[in-house]
Structure formats: C-alpha cells, structure tokens
Amino acid sequence: MCDAAQREQTKQLATAAAFAIKGDCEHCGGTGYSDQTVRQIVHCFSPSGFGSDWELARVHAAIDSARYVRWTNDITGHDLVVSIDGEPYRFQVKKPARAEDAA
C-alpha cells in the first residue's frame, strides 16, 4: 500500500489507537510512565521482537516515508506493519474490519 489517501487513512487509524502515557495503557494495563506532559504514543514491536512506545508524530512520519504499509493478523493486536529502513515494524493498531478499506 503506497497510495497517499490510504496512508492518510492509516494515520487516522494510528491516531485513534494512540494512548496518552499518563492515562491507562491498553497493552500493559498500567497507569502510564511519566508525570510530564501527556504524550500520544503507539506501541511497536521491532523486527527483532523488542517492544517500544513511539510518539504518534513519529508513527505518522514512518507511514509517510515507508516503502510499504500493510495489514496482518497479529495475536497481540499489532496489525499495522510499516517498512522502516527496509525492516518490518509492527504497531499496535488493529486491522480494520475490511483491510482493503484502509490498505
């Protein structure tokens, strides 16, 4: 998927999936990691399997510059796959009911 409209729709889905680090965290059930300013983040698994939280703006930039953006069915809900430097990163954005609507 590389169409500009589809990338924009995918960014909207990523925005909807983002969570504030001061609020409850969807993937760990915690209450956030910081007393600082509320930031919108999306959880990610790197190609090596390590997890990290990405700032939403960084996720949007990755979607914009990726060679490909695609959907998978991941048991952990990390359905959005974005090519970053040629490697697949999986973000905690659930695949839409009809992936062809967003991919």
Side-chain angles (χ1 to χ4, degrees), residues 8-65:
E8 215 35 61
Q9 189 175 24
T10 301
K11 290 192 305 188
Q12 290 174 8
L13 291 168
T15 299
F19 58 91
I21 62 171
K22 285 180 74 174
D24 289 342
C25 170
E26 178 185 327
H27 70 273
C28 71
T31 56
Y33 308 111
S34 173
D35 294 328
Q36 306 298 319
T37 306
V38 173
R39 296 181 303 152
Q40 294 295 312
I41 57 177
V42 178
H43 192 260
C44 174
F45 284 126
S46 70
S48 60
F50 292 102
S52 64
D53 292 327
W54 283 47
E55 295 277 348
L56 182 58
R58 200 168 152 218
V59 176
H60 285 185
I63 292 168
D64 285 336
S65 64

Side-chain angles (χ1 to χ4, degrees), residues 70-81 90 95-96 99:
R70 64 181 175 84
W71 296 99
T72 188
N73 292 310
D74 185 88
I75 193 166
T76 65
H78 291 69
D79 295 343
L80 176 61
V81 181
R90 295 178 297 126
K95 180 179 177 179

Side-chain angles (χ1 to χ4, degrees), residues 59 62-63 66 68-70 80-84 87-91:
V59 176
I63 292 168
Y68 67 81
V69 177
R70 64 181 175 84
L80 176 61
V81 181
V82 180
S83 170
I84 300 171
E87 298 288 336
Y89 285 73
R90 295 178 297 126
F91 290 91

